[in-house]
Structure formats: structure tokens, C-alpha cells
Amino acid sequence: MEKIRFFRRLAPLIISGRKTGTIRSRAESTFKSGQILPAVTHEEGEFICKLEIKSVEKVDLKNLNRCHAKAEGFRLLSF
């Protein structure tokens, strides 16, 4: 079964709903809208929760903005 991996330190943000997005490299861009996947820790593969992929958006690095950062769970940014 396909899984989506996150660093352990991000688990509380995911569970609390503060992290609602993730930026992945082209190599990890196989996820599709509508998929329901187990989220696991990158380090040990420990289960965090099940996630539903609501949408997938391709974005060039140069076009990342505050909205993307907020979805990633970042609070304070200076651009």
C-alpha cells in the first residue's frame, strides 16, 4: 500500500490540522486527488493518521508563496 511520509516532528502539526499541505519533489509527485493514504513517520514508519488528498497542484519553486507556507504549518515568515 502506498504511504505518505513526514518527519516525526511534523506529526503534531498534521494531527492538529495546522499542516494542511505538503510540498514534494517531482520524484514524490505520484499522489492523486481523492486518494486516502496512511501518513507515517519518515524515521520509523510509525503510523500518524489517514489523510485524504484533496487536491494536487504543480508549483515551480520560484512561485511558492505565503499560502503554501501556511499550508505547510509555518507561522512566521519573512519574504
Side-chain angles (χ1 to χ4, degrees):
M1 171 181 244
E2 191 173 16
K3 298 174 187 168
I4 187 165
R5 297 184 178 276
F6 295 93
F7 290 111
R8 182 179 342 116
R9 64 183 166 79
L10 297 173
L13 296 175
I14 294 165
I15 292 167
S16 72
R18 272 195 47 223
K19 181 171 175 54
T20 59
T22 188
I23 297 170
R24 301 290 163 150
S25 69
R26 190 172 283 147
E28 293 181 296
S29 65
T30 60
F31 304 112
K32 309 266 187 265
S33 293
Q35 278 185 291
I36 298 175
L37 303 168
V40 299
T41 60
H42 180 72
E43 296 85 354
E44 297 91 13
E46 183 179 315
F47 180 80
I48 301 169
C49 64
K50 280 191 175 182
L51 296 178
E52 181 180 357
I53 307 296
K54 296 283 188 173
S55 66
V56 176
E57 174 186 1
K58 292 184 180 185
V59 179
D60 287 333
L61 283 176
K62 65 183 178 191
N63 294 328
L64 292 176
N65 59 42
R66 289 179 188 265
C67 290
H68 296 105
K70 184 177 179 186
E72 282 282 353
F74 292 108
R75 285 186 181 176
L76 302 173
L77 293 170
S78 3
F79 277 89

